[in-house]
Amino acid sequence: GAGVSQSPSNKVTEKGKDVELRCDPISGHTALYWYRQRLGQGLEFLIYFQGNSAPDKSGLPSDRFSAERTGESVSTLTIQRTQQEDSAVYLCASSLIYQNQPQHFGDGTRLSIL
Amino acid sequence: GNSVTQMEGPVTLSEEAFLTINCTYTATGYPSLFWYVQYPGEGLQLLLKATKADDKGSNKGFEATYRKETTSFHLEKGSVQVSDSAVYFCALSVSFGNEKLTFGTGTRLTIIP
């Protein structure tokens, strides 16, 4: 597609449920990033993929969070046993692998935990 | 660790006013610096960037100069328009090969006619 696509755009779920968030990066972009934006705060880095490997998972807040990527394509961020503090906008970005290439962001998934 | 501090918002200006949004950073190594913008109802997009000291990034009338001595990257525009109303984020990245961004908290700018 023309840009980074994320789905769903909105997700409301009950505390304790598992959720899956999907990201379709721009075709040919080897690098893929997940960020989280809590209300009134800046974006926090979660995880970085280079191809289908994740050399940097340092931003994942707990072991309830995991992510995978198929080749240089779709990525899924999974949150297990959701908590209210997981409520946020989850943003995905992709870029070429060369130095200082701009990251292209999707519109995000707004996750609300009741 | 790396961090970005930017001017608290919200900022409200009249059309044609001069804009400055302050941004300072702390980083290990030699960061690249960015301004991202999020217009109402749209996704985050790159506005401008600078990759080394004294570089000036510019786009759409906005400018920012990478000042290593003051660890700053202030965003400026000489004459703002209503269409500039948006949330502006200052950010940095440090490592080649993993260019994860460290963001400031964002500054909401509203321009009134």
Side-chain angles (χ1 to χ4, degrees):
Chain A
V4 177
S5 177
Q6 291 188 246
S7 61
S9 54
N10 282 284
K11 177 72 176 179
V12 180
T13 193
E14 293 179 348
K15 177 181 171 181
K17 300 287 189 183
D18 298 351
V19 296
E20 280 191 357
L21 312 180
R22 177 187 169 105
C23 172
D24 280 280
I26 293 173
S27 177
H29 281 191
T30 302
L32 186 147
Y33 304 81
W34 283 97
Y35 297 90
R36 176 172 74 172
Q37 185 177 22
R38 294 176 172 174
L39 188 64
Q41 299 185 23
L43 283 78
E44 313 167 65
F45 166 78
L46 297 178
I47 187 169
Y48 161 62
F49 284 93
Q50 184 172 343
N52 63 3
S53 67
D56 188 349
K57 305 179 183 180
S58 63
L60 295 178
S62 76
D63 59 7
R64 297 186 295 104
F65 287 71
S66 63
E68 61 181 26
R69 187 180 184 193
T70 307
E72 294 189 0
S73 184
V74 172
S75 177
T76 303
L77 177 69
T78 301
I79 309 173
Q80 295 179 309
R81 306 180 303 281
T82 52
Q83 304 295 313
Q84 287 189 331
E85 63 263 27
D86 300 334
S87 296
V89 177
Y90 289 82
L91 289 162
C92 175
S94 71
S95 72
L96 295 170
I97 203 67
Y98 310 111
Q99 191 171 14
N100 294 320
Q101 291 298 306
Q103 292 184 26
H104 299 263
F105 283 80
D107 289 341
T109 295
R110 183 175 298 277
L111 177 63
S112 300
I113 310 300
L114 302 178
Chain B
N2 302 324
S3 67
V4 175
T5 302
Q6 67 179 99
M7 176 186 237
E8 292 284 333
V11 174
T12 302
L13 294 173
S14 297
E15 204 165 21
E16 299 183 2
F18 184 86
L19 169 71
T20 301
I21 301 178
N22 290 336
C23 172
T24 57
Y25 66 89
T26 302
T28 55
Y30 299 96
S32 295
L33 302 174
F34 306 85
W35 278 99
Y36 278 80
V37 60
Q38 187 168 31
Y39 297 105
E42 299 185 18
L44 201 62
Q45 57 187 276
L46 179 66
L47 178 61
L48 55 84
K49 69 178 184 181
T51 59
K52 62 183 188 294
D54 300 325
D55 268 3
K56 178 186 285 188
S58 61
N59 187 21
K60 299 183 180 181
F62 290 88
E63 293 183 338
T65 300
Y66 188 141
R67 300 287 188 199
K68 187 178 177 184
E69 63 277 12
T70 54
T71 61
S72 65
F73 193 55
H74 304 321
L75 182 68
E76 297 183 335
K77 187 173 185 181
S79 177
V80 292
Q81 305 301 312
V82 172
S83 57
D84 294 326
S85 297
V87 182
Y88 293 82
F89 293 90
C90 186
L92 66 84
S93 69
V94 177
S95 305
F96 172 48
N98 172 7
E99 298 189 17
K100 62 184 177 185
L101 292 164
T102 299
F103 284 89
T105 53
T107 301
R108 182 175 297 277
L109 174 67
T110 301
I111 307 300
I112 53 177

